[in-house]
Amino acid sequence: MQRTKPRRRRGLGRGGRRTEGHTQLMRLFRTMKLRGLGASVLLASASVMAVLPASIVVLAPTSAHAQSAVIRDIRVEGNRRMEAETVRSYMRLNVGDRYDEGKVDESIRALFSTGLFSDVKISPSGSTVVVSVVENPIVNQVAFEGNSEVDKPTLEAEVQLKSRAVFTRAKAQADVQRILDVYRRQGRFAAAVQPKLIELDNGRVNVVFEISEGQATKVKSIQFVGNRAFSDSQLRDIISTTQSGWFDFLKGTNIYDPDRMSLDKELLRQYYLKNGYAEARVVSANAELDRDGSGFFITFVVEEGDLFNFGSITVESKLPAVNTSVLEREIVTTSGKTFNLQQIDKSVEAMTLKVNEQGFAFGRVRPRTDRDAAARAINIVYVVDEGPRVYIERININGNQRTHDYVIRREFKTAEGDAFNPLLVETAKKRITALGFFKSVDIKRRPGSAPDRVVLDVDLVEQSTGDLSFGAGYSSSEGVIGDVSITERNLLGRGQFLRFGVSGSKTTQNFNIAFTEPRFMGTNIAAGFDLFHKNQQASSTTPYNTTSTGGGLRASFPMSENLWLNTSYTLSRTTIDVPDTYFGQTSLAIRQACGLTGADLTNPLITTCPGDSYITSAAGLGFTYDTRNHQKTPTRGVYLQSGVDVAGLGGDVHYVRLNGEARGYYPINDKFTLVGRVAGGHIAGWNGDDVKLLDLFYRGGETIRGFNRLGYGPRDIGSVNQDALGGTTHWVATAELRFPLPFLPDELGMSGAVFADAGSLFGLPANVKSLNGTGNVVIVDDSSIRSSIGLGLLWNSPLGPLRLDYAKAMTKNDNDKLQSFRFGAQTKF
C-alpha cells in the first residue's frame, strides 16, 4: 500500500513583529541544501540580499575557467509546473554566451522577481549551465481561525493570498499586516496574527491565519487644550469620536481610529472658522495608549486666536462684461456680523454659478481677505477673473461599497464635460463630508487624455450610519420614562433617513416611524412622511383616555442661508374615552367631549362614556430661521420659528392654529451665556365649529417651572379633581443665565443655571363656556400672569440631556397646581 505523504503545519513567524536580520540568515543556512559547495559559492553582495527573500540561496562560480567558458546548453532542474523554456526566457545568459557572474546575478534577480520560486541556484557544469529551482507552492485554501469580531468575507476581501494563487512569504506577511489593519480599524490594537502552512501533495498548501483578537481598545478620555470660547463638552459634540461610557455596546465611535481623528481635526477647524475665529487652528491631535493597553487618551491642542467680525465687503471684477450687481445679491456675508467661513464659501459658490450663467464657463470667484487685527475685522474683496481653460474628463468614485454613486455625484455642481473649477470641487468635498456617511473624503486631480482635460478621483472611506439607542429616566410628571429608537441615515445606500421609535411611561405610549428623502426628485427639497400612534391613559390630572393614530407628509427647502420653508399635511383619528372609575368625577366639559349633549350631560343615570371619535385633516405652513453656533449647547445666535395649521380640508374639525417661538443666545464671556425665549400660540374654530377639547393648548411645568403638569390655565374647580380644560391662547417668556459649575471637571458635562419664567394660558371655546354654572360646573378662566424663579442643574449625560430644576412660583392663581422640583429631559430653549 502506498503511503500518503504526511501533512506538516509550519509556522511563518510572528505576525506584526519584525525578525532580526541575523535570525533570518541563520534560518536560511539551516534550510539550505548545499550540494557541491566547491562548484558554487554564496553571493554575499548586500545589494542582492536586499531584494531577495529570506530563503534565497545564490551560488555562483569563482574559477577563471568557468568565467570564460562558452555556454553550450542551459539545463533546468526542479521545475514541476513551469516549462523549462519559460525559465530560460528569464535568463540573462544564452547559449553561445560566455559565462558571466554579473549576468548570473541578474538572472537570479529576474527569476525571483516572478514570485514563482522559493529557491534558485545557477551553477556551471562544464559547458552546461544548470538552473536548479524550487517552485513556490500553490495555495489550495485560505482559512481563518479565532476571528469572531470580524467575519470571514471581510478578511477574505483584504488578503492577497487566494485559492490557486502562488504562495510567497512576502505575500503572507503582507496579508498579516492587512488583517491587523482591519482589526485596528475596529479598535483592536492588541490583535495578533500568526500565519501557518499545512503542506499537501502536488506542491499545494493550505494557509491558515491564526488570529488572537484581543480586547477592543476604546477611547477613555478626550481632552482639549487651549480652548476658551467653547467648553470641552461642546467640542466633544462636534467631533465624530466619542468617549467610552455606559452604553458602549450601542455605538462604534468610541473605538480609536486614526482616520477618524483626521476627520475630527478638520471638524474642529471648520467649527471655529464658522464661529468667528479666523485665526484658529488645530495644532495637534495626540493619542496615547495607557499602560495596560486597554484604552487611549486623546488630546486636541487648539489655538483659538481672537474673535473677528466681517469688515468691508466689495466685489472686484477683471471681466468687464460681468454684471457685478447680480453677483452682489448672492453675497451672504454681512459687514459687522461675526466672521463665518461657511458664509464666504457659500457666497463664492453662488457667485461662481452666476458668473457661469452669464456666459463665462471658466470664470471664477476668489475671496481676498485683509485682516485688521486692531479692529478685529476681516475685510473681503471677492475677485472675479478667468481661470485656466480645463475641462473635467471623468469623475471616478472609489471606496463607496454601500453608498450609491448618484448620492455622491449629486453633491457636485459640475459634471463630466464641464469646465473645471477648483472651488466647486472643493465645495463638493465639503458637501460629501457633511453627509456624515464617510470617515474620510479625498478628491484628487490627475491629468486626462489631453492637456486641457483632468480626471477627478473621489476616494472615500465609509463608516457606520445606523444607530440603535435607548434611554431611561424619571420624570416628576410621568414617573419612569423610557424610549428605544433605531435610526438609519443612509438607507440602502440611497442617502435616505429612516427612524423607528418607541417611547412610553406609566401613562403614555408612543410609536412613530419617520422617513425622509433629502433630495426629492433630484431637487433641493427634503420630503418625507410620518406614521404615529399615541395613547395616553387616564390619571388624576387627565381623567380620560385618548388615542390618536395617523400619519403625515412634509416637505422643506432652504429659502436662503439660514431660512427654511416647511410644509406639512396630517391626517389622524382621535378618540377620547373616560374610564368608569373617573366618569362620575369628571366635569361637564369632559362629559361633553365624550360625545354627550343636551340633557345627557347632567343625567346621573348615564355612567359610562360612549366615546367621541373624530378625524382631523390639517395642512401646515411654517418658517424656521436658525443662526445658532451649536445645535445641542448653543452659546451664540438666534432661533426663530413660526407656523400656521389649518384643519378642515375634509375631516370632522375646523380650526386655525398659529404658533411662534424665538430663542436668543448671548455669550457674556467665555463662561456665562444668557439665554432668552419667547413663545406663544392661538387657536380658533371656523366654519361655525368650536375647537375640540383635545385640540386646545395645555401647559404646565414644561413652560413655567414651579407648576405641575397641566398646572395652570382654565379649570373646572367644581369637579372632584378640578379638571384642566385647556385654553385657546398661551404665551411664555424665559430668561436664563447658564454657567459652569466650579470645582467639577468639565468632562462631566454638568453646568448650572438661574432662571425666571412667566406666562399665561387662557380662553375657552363657546361651547365649554356655556356650561359654566350648569350643575356643579364652576369654570375659572383668566389671563393673569404666572411666574417663577429658580435654579437648574444641567447634565449632558450618556442618556442624553437631563435637567433638574427647583423653582418657586412668584405669582399664581389660587387654583393652580404647583410642583417645586422637576426632573427629566432638558427643557429645549
Side-chain angles (χ1 to χ4, degrees), residues 269-279 307-311 313 331-348 367 369 377-378 380 382 430 561-562 625-630 636-637:
R269 191 182 75 89
Q270 292 293 334
Y271 182 68
Y272 271 101
L273 294 177
K274 172 187 174 183
N275 288 286
Y277 293 88
E279 299 175 334
L307 181 67
F308 283 80
N309 293 327
F310 284 119
I313 299 173
I331 298 176
V332 297
T333 52
T334 304
S335 180
K337 297 292 185 179
T338 303
F339 175 82
N340 187 332
L341 182 63
Q342 281 189 359
Q343 292 182 352
I344 296 177
D345 293 340
K346 291 181 178 181
S347 299
V348 171
T369 60
I378 303 293
I380 302 176
Y382 293 102
K430 293 178 180 179
E561 169 68 14
N562 303 109
Y625 180 77
D626 192 356
T627 63
R628 293 174 298 172
N629 62 352
H630 196 284
R636 182 184 295 108

Side-chain angles (χ1 to χ4, degrees), residues 240 258-268 433 438-440 463:
S240 60
D259 293 336
R260 188 182 290 120
M261 283 190 63
S262 299
L263 172 62
D264 290 342
K265 288 179 63 177
E266 181 62 19
L267 291 175
L268 286 173
T433 301
F438 309 101
K439 284 197 299 184
S440 64
Q463 65 180 356

Side-chain angles (χ1 to χ4, degrees), residues 138-204:
I138 298 296
V139 177
N140 177 64
Q141 183 181 2
V142 178
F144 305 92
E145 293 181 358
N147 58 305
S148 60
E149 295 297 327
V150 181
D151 57 22
K152 180 180 177 181
T154 301
L155 296 176
E156 287 178 336
E158 288 290 331
V159 298
Q160 286 182 320
L161 290 175
K162 310 286 185 183
S163 177
R164 305 173 73 176
V166 176
F167 173 85
T168 67
R169 183 184 298 271
K171 287 182 180 180
Q173 293 300 331
D175 285 346
V176 166
Q177 189 59 47
R178 286 185 172 87
I179 296 172
L180 289 174
D181 289 342
V182 171
Y183 276 95
R184 285 169 181 168
R185 290 197 295 269
Q186 299 285 339
R188 296 181 178 271
F189 282 77
V193 180
Q194 181 77 20
K196 301 285 187 178
L197 284 185
I198 300 177
E199 294 184 351
L200 308 175
D201 53 4
N202 298 323
R204 298 176 303 131

Side-chain angles (χ1 to χ4, degrees), residues 121 452-453:
K121 300 176 185 177
D452 62 344
R453 298 288 189 273

Side-chain angles (χ1 to χ4, degrees), residues 25-273:
L25 288 175
M26 292 302 296
R27 185 181 302 150
L28 209 101
F29 282 118
R30 286 197 300 268
T31 57
M32 285 195 312
K33 298 178 180 179
L34 302 178
R35 298 176 181 176
L37 190 57
S40 58
V41 347
L42 177 67
L43 291 180
S45 169
S47 61
V48 175
M49 295 302 294
V51 299
L52 300 185
S55 62
I56 298 173
V57 178
V58 182
L59 299 177
T62 58
S63 67
H65 176 74
Q67 179 74 13
S68 60
V70 176
I71 301 172
R72 301 301 180 187
D73 186 22
I74 298 177
R75 187 171 71 247
V76 179
E77 296 177 349
N79 56 312
R80 302 169 63 181
R81 297 186 307 272
M82 180 170 283
E83 297 291 337
E85 192 57 40
T86 303
V87 175
R88 295 188 188 99
S89 68
Y90 289 97
M91 298 286 292
R92 300 297 185 261
L93 293 170
N94 298 306
V95 174
D97 294 344
R98 291 189 177 276
Y99 192 91
D100 182 271
E101 291 184 7
K103 291 185 178 182
V104 169
D105 189 359
E106 294 177 7
S107 299
I108 291 174
R109 289 174 181 270
L111 288 169
F112 272 114
S113 66
T114 65
L116 300 174
F117 307 104
S118 61
D119 194 9
V120 176
K121 300 176 185 177
I122 299 178
S123 60
S125 178
S127 60
T128 300
V129 173
V130 179
V131 182
S132 299
V133 296
V134 177
E135 294 178 338
N136 277 320
I138 298 296
V139 177
N140 177 64
Q141 183 181 2
V142 178
F144 305 92
E145 293 181 358
N147 58 305
S148 60
E149 295 297 327
V150 181
D151 57 22
K152 180 180 177 181
T154 301
L155 296 176
E156 287 178 336
E158 288 290 331
V159 298
Q160 286 182 320
L161 290 175
K162 310 286 185 183
S163 177
R164 305 173 73 176
V166 176
F167 173 85
T168 67
R169 183 184 298 271
K171 287 182 180 180
Q173 293 300 331
D175 285 346
V176 166
Q177 189 59 47
R178 286 185 172 87
I179 296 172
L180 289 174
D181 289 342
V182 171
Y183 276 95
R184 285 169 181 168
R185 290 197 295 269
Q186 299 285 339
R188 296 181 178 271
F189 282 77
V193 180
Q194 181 77 20
K196 301 285 187 178
L197 284 185
I198 300 177
E199 294 184 351
L200 308 175
D201 53 4
N202 298 323
R204 298 176 303 131
V205 292
N206 286 341
V207 182
V208 180
F209 292 99
E210 294 183 348
I211 302 171
S212 174
E213 295 183 322
Q215 296 296 320
T217 312
K218 299 179 180 180
V219 176
K220 287 188 172 182
S221 172
I222 301 176
Q223 303 293 331
F224 299 87
V225 176
N227 55 312
R228 294 176 291 102
F230 305 103
S231 66
D232 284 12
S233 59
Q234 285 178 304
L235 296 182
R236 288 193 197 100
D237 287 335
I238 298 301
I239 61 178
S240 60
T241 304
T242 59
Q243 291 183 153
S244 179
W246 295 347
F247 301 101
D248 289 347
F249 61 93
L250 297 178
K251 55 187 178 180
T253 54
N254 60 346
I255 303 299
Y256 172 70
D257 188 337
D259 293 336
R260 188 182 290 120
M261 283 190 63
S262 299
L263 172 62
D264 290 342
K265 288 179 63 177
E266 181 62 19
L267 291 175
L268 286 173
R269 191 182 75 89
Q270 292 293 334
Y271 182 68
Y272 271 101
L273 294 177

Side-chain angles (χ1 to χ4, degrees), residues 549-564:
T549 304
L553 302 174
R554 50 184 162 72
S556 63
F557 62 90
M559 300 181 65
S560 65
E561 169 68 14
N562 303 109
L563 181 64
W564 289 267

Side-chain angles (χ1 to χ4, degrees), residues 376-397:
R376 293 185 181 177
I378 303 293
N379 303 316
I380 302 176
V381 178
Y382 293 102
V383 181
V384 183
D385 60 8
E386 188 172 33
R389 294 181 173 271
V390 179
Y391 297 88
I392 299 175
E393 180 177 337
R394 192 169 64 256
I395 300 177
N396 298 323
I397 311 295

